[in-house]
Amino acid sequence: MGFPENFLWGGATAASQCEGGIWEGGRGLANGDVCPAGPDRSAVITGHKKMFEMDGEHTYPAVEAADMYHHFKEDIRLFGEMGFKVYRLSISWTRIFPNGDETEPERRGLLFYKEIFEECRKYGIMPLVTICHFDCPMGLVRAHGGWKSRKMIGHYLRFCRTLFEYYREYVTYWITFNEINMILHAPFLGAGIVFEEGEDEDKVRYQAAHHELVASAYAVKLAHEINPDNKAGCMFAAGSTYPYTCRPEDVWEALKTGQDNYFFVDVQARGYYPSYARKRLQAQGIWPEMEPEDEAALRQYPADFISFSYYNSRCIAAPDSIQEEAEGNLFRSVKNPYLEYSDWGWPIDPLGLRITLNEIYDRYQKPLFVVENGLGALDEPDEQGVIADDYRINYLREHIRAMKAGVEEDGVDLMGYTSWGCLDLVSASSGEMKKRYGFIYVDKQDDGSGTLARRKKKSFGWYQKVIASNGEDLE
Ligand code: BGP
């Protein structure tokens, strides 16, 4: 009973949010580098303000981030001390192909990740690699407008092939794109897209989504060809959509919003565009342009597993019912009066994780992997430097309990759990360092000050016990 014996406990990060060192090792500029902190961030990440290089007026948190580029040995040692079985990380595309269109990879970038994987191996930690986590070479943004262009498929697959071949003996678990559905909500961050004046934004979004979906299918094919042991999964920002009331109009609106979210996984896991999407996109005149072989590729190479982030559920009301809006993971939703909210206004809903697990498993019947979950909070060290993050422990405990019930009582096939930002890093939505998720505190402040020293929070020892007991000891 409880979690399966080989359950994969661990933590997750993304290159652009933790590495820094953006001018080192021959690395090229990426979209995440030019997303500033502060009030302009939202317009930049949503593709409504063009920022192709850094200017003197803004600060750019990805430049140094948590400086994992120089601290990775210490960081992975700490992950090992916590007992991680798996570490989810992403590979910075521009460390391997600085401009995105080179034919030969950059050796220094390849060696950097090889060292990371060797370090993981020392502690018996299996890497789970996100090939593209909010990452697009600026060279390809300038040349092609990011994923607006079909040309991206070829560049992405060259990147995939390089990784699958070079890291063949280190990595067998891959995720093709992080939160692929985020292309609808943060198209510059997700896919290097900036809208031109007068462009039909939804048409652009769904065309770019189609390119990513086809690229993802071919990546699955390539992963299997290069190493039959490879497992390649899809990944989306999940969280069940609740109707605000039982009024049928609210239920209908919630169902439609849920479909918009499941659209990507419907294609990646089932292998075809669902009929609701076909009808709606055609009715709006934004059915994507396709090559004749695309639909066959989607069918032939579905994802091996479904991974997702879960931070909160969403609550949706019919447009004619005006309700207070809630924050939460770049999605708009209505404030759910039954839930508590985090320091950043995100709802906290552990049972929602169990509901979400059931919903996804019922829908696809494929192995699932929770690859992000956690609480972004203000952590203040006391005079002794102790960070007593009991609020984080409480959040994680309740979510792990809900997940356990999903496995034990509902029979969901769950491979593992990697909590988000196991080490403090830059927030994707706000660009802040002070929105912290980690078990490990990083002394880096929003004004750029700090020694970058690492310090264990109270949750560090707690998670260590959770892992050692395979999720039994949650106190
Ligand atoms: C997801 C992303 C992550 C991460 C997380 C937390 O959307 O995949 O990259 O950042 O959310 O969100 P935030 O950093 O905005 O608090």
Side-chain angles (χ1 to χ4, degrees), residues 90-269:
S90 77
I91 294 201
S92 159
W93 191 338
T94 56
R95 283 201 193 285
I96 312 298
F97 291 103
N99 201 51
D101 60 357
E102 294 86 348
T103 47
E104 290 304 314
E106 164 60 57
R107 304 301 294 174
R108 288 171 289 178
L110 288 173
L111 286 172
F112 172 65
Y113 293 104
K114 186 169 165 209
E115 271 193 74
I116 290 200
F117 299 142
E118 276 170 354
E119 225 37 47
C120 287
R121 189 167 275 185
K122 265 197 207 164
Y123 303 101
I125 301 173
M126 186 191 90
L128 164 62
V129 171
T130 315
I131 297 167
C132 189
H133 190 133
F134 295 163
D135 196 7
C136 187
M138 283 308 291
L140 299 180
V141 173
R142 286 178 187 281
H144 306 307
W147 283 92
K148 278 183 191 180
S149 163
R150 193 173 172 98
K151 294 210 173 79
M152 289 297 291
I153 300 176
H155 296 305
Y156 172 82
L157 290 174
R158 194 169 56 257
F159 176 44
C160 290
R161 173 179 290 282
T162 305
L163 302 185
F164 296 153
E165 286 176 350
Y166 194 78
Y167 300 122
R168 194 175 188 280
E169 60 162 309
Y170 294 98
V171 185
T172 47
Y173 280 84
W174 306 89
I175 290 171
T176 55
F177 288 93
N178 178 64
E179 293 189 341
I180 191 163
N181 50 329
M182 216 43 108
I183 200 170
L184 301 180
H185 310 280
F188 182 70
L189 188 67
I193 291 170
V194 178
F195 297 109
E196 304 295 335
E197 188 95 10
E199 226 170 9
D200 181 334
E201 294 193 5
D202 275 343
K203 190 172 173 61
V204 170
R205 286 188 180 99
Y206 280 96
Q207 185 63 53
H210 179 71
H211 297 147
E212 287 196 350
L213 290 166
V214 171
S216 177
Y218 282 120
V220 173
K221 171 177 191 263
L222 205 55
H224 294 164
E225 277 169 8
I226 293 173
N227 182 357
D229 291 335
N230 272 337
K231 300 270 178 248
C234 59
M235 195 287 191
F236 78 119
S240 293
T241 314
Y242 303 160
Y244 184 67
T245 70
C246 53
R247 184 179 163 225
E249 285 76 4
D250 284 347
V251 177
W252 172 239
E253 206 59 31
L255 183 120
K256 276 199 303 176
T257 306
Q259 284 177 328
D260 287 345
N261 218 29
Y262 280 124
F263 158 68
F264 296 84
V265 190
D266 281 351
V267 178
Q268 289 178 295

Side-chain angles (χ1 to χ4, degrees), residues 17 133 178-179 311 329 346 372 420 427-429 435 437:
Q17 293 172 252
H133 190 133
N178 178 64
E179 293 189 341
Y311 292 92
N329 209 9
W346 291 21
E372 285 185 33
W420 174 248
S427 155
S429 58
K435 187 179 187 191
Y437 286 86

